Amino acid sequence: MRSFSALLHLSIFWAFVGALPRRDSPFRRRELTTDERASSPELLVLVQRRHHGHQTPFVTPVTPVQTPTSEFTPDPTIPATLESPSTIASTLLSTTVSTSATLPLPSGWSPLDSGKRVGKNFPPTFRLTDGHQTVKEILYRMRDQVCMGTCGKVRGDSIPNELLASQIINAGDPQPGCEIAAKLSAGKEIYFHASKSGAHCYEITEQIIEQKFTDSNDGANRFFDSGYYQIPDNDELYSLGIRDLNAQGSSHPDLTTDTTKHLGHRQIACRSNYHVLWMGYDIFVSEWDDGSNGRSVFDNVKSCNVGPSQWGYVSDSAYKFEDGTNSEYHGSWRNILQTPGCVEAHIAHAIGLLGEGLHCGSKYTQLDMFA
């Protein structure tokens, strides 16, 4: 019984050994000789496999182990010193832009606009966390983030999150776009829509901003309320400007409708009091400061009469504007022998407005800056 068991185990062992590939078998990986390893930096060893009854050859690269030397030779492709972070960031940005997979822009292309300009009394600046900025500057800050592929904030975090909304466009695209908007006033928003980020975004939107959001003729022609350019063949649309708050067709989540919450902008309300010998004037303003306690207003209205008097200018939040925000300053004075409409025009000029419309009647009247 024991001899039978031993014989059975011995048979199984030799059956297993016989199944192993022989040294001269075409299916056994050939070992490299020492001369072969040293003669070439990369050797190809032919190995054959069976595939559905066929022998399919494939090659495997083999890199020989280099013998250490006593001297170190630096790689000339590796810089000896690291570049500054700003240089590295600039290089990365230029590489990203230059390698964007986009079609060339048509020869002689030019951005389009709505054909409608903002009103002449449109606020010249809006208050961000780092000071008052123009519409043009705000659009450039949005461009810096959107065209880089960053959706959700404005450069420097200069617009509070509660006044900002954004939405990624074409999320599955290698260069996804973005729509971002900020609340300018109780009923207006500034927006930047780019269906793609990358090179076209930078190039196209720069031309839109420069050509469509710059006053001309010394302010006689205000900038357009929107500008855009579209490349249908590449599914690209770039549109930016000023529009109604949460306008139909916008892509971003709704901004707050609380009228008191918006980027601060210039506002003014005026009233006059008639007397036999003189006319009294009162103004309430916000988001304006000439650095001289309002004296620029007093100096401008001097040309409208024999001489203004009893000038006063103090901090005062007593007046509430139509959007629910309060005034910051109160100015008052008296005019004698005035020309009708002269005082209103010179007040507007003093605080940086380019149009008409300011009215100083027997009751306080607020100028609509977005008419």
Side-chain angles (χ1 to χ4, degrees):
M1 188 67 179
R2 285 185 178 180
S3 59
F4 175 78
S5 176
L7 181 61
L8 178 62
H9 281 81
L10 184 60
S11 299
I12 294 174
F13 171 77
W14 284 113
F16 172 77
V17 171
L20 292 175
R22 301 186 304 275
R23 182 173 296 274
D24 58 346
S25 170
F27 303 102
R28 182 179 180 89
R29 181 183 290 248
R30 182 172 64 80
E31 299 293 332
L32 296 176
T33 66
T34 303
D35 292 338
E36 287 175 328
R37 287 184 177 274
S39 63
S40 174
E42 183 171 316
L43 296 175
L44 299 179
V45 180
L46 180 62
V47 182
Q48 294 180 327
R49 286 180 172 173
R50 286 190 181 276
H51 180 66
H52 299 294
H54 297 84
Q55 295 182 0
T56 306
F58 71 96
V59 295
T60 303
V62 177
T63 303
V65 178
Q66 297 181 356
T67 304
T69 60
S70 58
E71 296 183 0
F72 170 74
T73 303
D75 188 336
T77 64
I78 301 176
T81 58
L82 292 176
E83 295 178 327
S84 66
S86 60
T87 302
I88 295 173
S90 177
T91 302
L92 289 174
L93 178 58
S94 63
T95 302
T96 300
V97 173
S98 63
T99 58
S100 299
T102 52
L103 299 175
L105 291 173
S107 176
W109 76 275
S110 181
L112 305 174
D113 57 67
S114 64
K116 181 182 178 182
R117 298 178 183 270
V118 299
K120 291 191 175 182
N121 290 324
F122 188 89
T125 60
F126 294 85
R127 177 167 44 81
L128 276 60
T129 58
D130 59 348
H132 287 80
Q133 307 295 341
T134 64
V135 163
K136 191 173 181 178
E137 171 64 18
I138 296 173
L139 288 175
Y140 266 121
R141 293 187 180 194
M142 289 180 167
R143 170 180 175 267
D144 288 348
Q145 300 298 135
V146 172
C147 294
M148 188 183 294
T150 303
C151 191
K153 64 179 181 178
V154 174
R155 174 164 51 89
D157 294 325
S158 51
I159 296 179
N161 289 335
E162 65 175 347
L163 303 178
L164 200 63
S166 62
Q167 178 64 50
I168 296 176
I169 308 296
N170 295 328
D173 193 279
Q175 296 175 304
C178 173
E179 177 173 292
I180 190 168
K183 189 178 178 184
L184 282 183
S185 68
K188 296 291 182 180
E189 69 178 34
I190 181 171
Y191 70 97
F192 191 112
H193 177 104
S195 59
K196 292 191 177 188
S197 54
H200 276 182
C201 181
Y202 279 103
E203 183 175 357
I204 292 173
T205 58
E206 178 181 14
Q207 292 305 312
I208 294 175
I209 294 172
E210 288 299 322
Q211 295 185 34
K212 304 303 179 182
F213 293 92
T214 302
D215 290 342
S216 58
N217 297 332
D218 295 326
N221 295 326
R222 299 303 306 275
F223 57 82
F224 291 97
D225 64 358
S226 64
Y228 66 95
Y229 190 75
Q230 187 173 17
I231 308 177
D233 292 343
N234 206 31
D235 192 27
E236 293 182 66
L237 172 64
Y238 305 93
S239 177
L240 39 152
I242 312 297
R243 64 187 177 193
D244 290 339
L245 182 68
N246 302 324
Q248 184 177 4
S250 60
S251 301
H252 64 78
D254 283 352
L255 289 158
T256 177
T257 55
D258 185 338
T259 61
T260 64
K261 294 181 178 180
H262 54 74
L263 298 178
H265 60 82
R266 199 161 303 179
Q267 298 196 75
I268 182 171
C270 184
R271 181 189 70 173
S272 63
N273 294 310
Y274 174 76
H275 293 272
V276 176
L277 299 178
W278 48 269
M279 182 75 78
Y281 285 89
D282 290 90
I283 59 170
F284 282 97
V285 296
S286 66
E287 301 296 338
W288 176 77
D289 184 8
D290 62 357
S292 301
N293 293 321
R295 287 289 301 188
S296 59
V297 172
F298 186 71
D299 292 339
N300 267 266
V301 299
K302 285 180 179 180
S303 60
C304 294
N305 52 70
V306 174
S309 62
Q310 298 189 22
W311 169 254
Y313 191 80
V314 295
S315 296
D316 192 341
S317 60
Y319 184 81
K320 188 177 292 294
F321 292 106
E322 292 177 0
D323 61 5
T325 60
N326 295 324
S327 60
E328 294 178 331
Y329 297 101
H330 175 206
S332 60
W333 67 96
R334 294 178 179 179
N335 275 27
I336 302 174
L337 301 176
Q338 65 181 0
T339 302
C342 181
V343 171
E344 287 91 339
H346 281 75
I347 293 172
H349 177 74
I351 67 172
L353 304 180
L354 300 176
E356 301 176 351
L358 181 63
H359 177 68
C360 301
S362 60
K363 294 182 179 180
Y364 281 107
T365 303
Q366 178 180 337
L367 176 64
D368 185 355
M369 311 293 287
F370 297 91

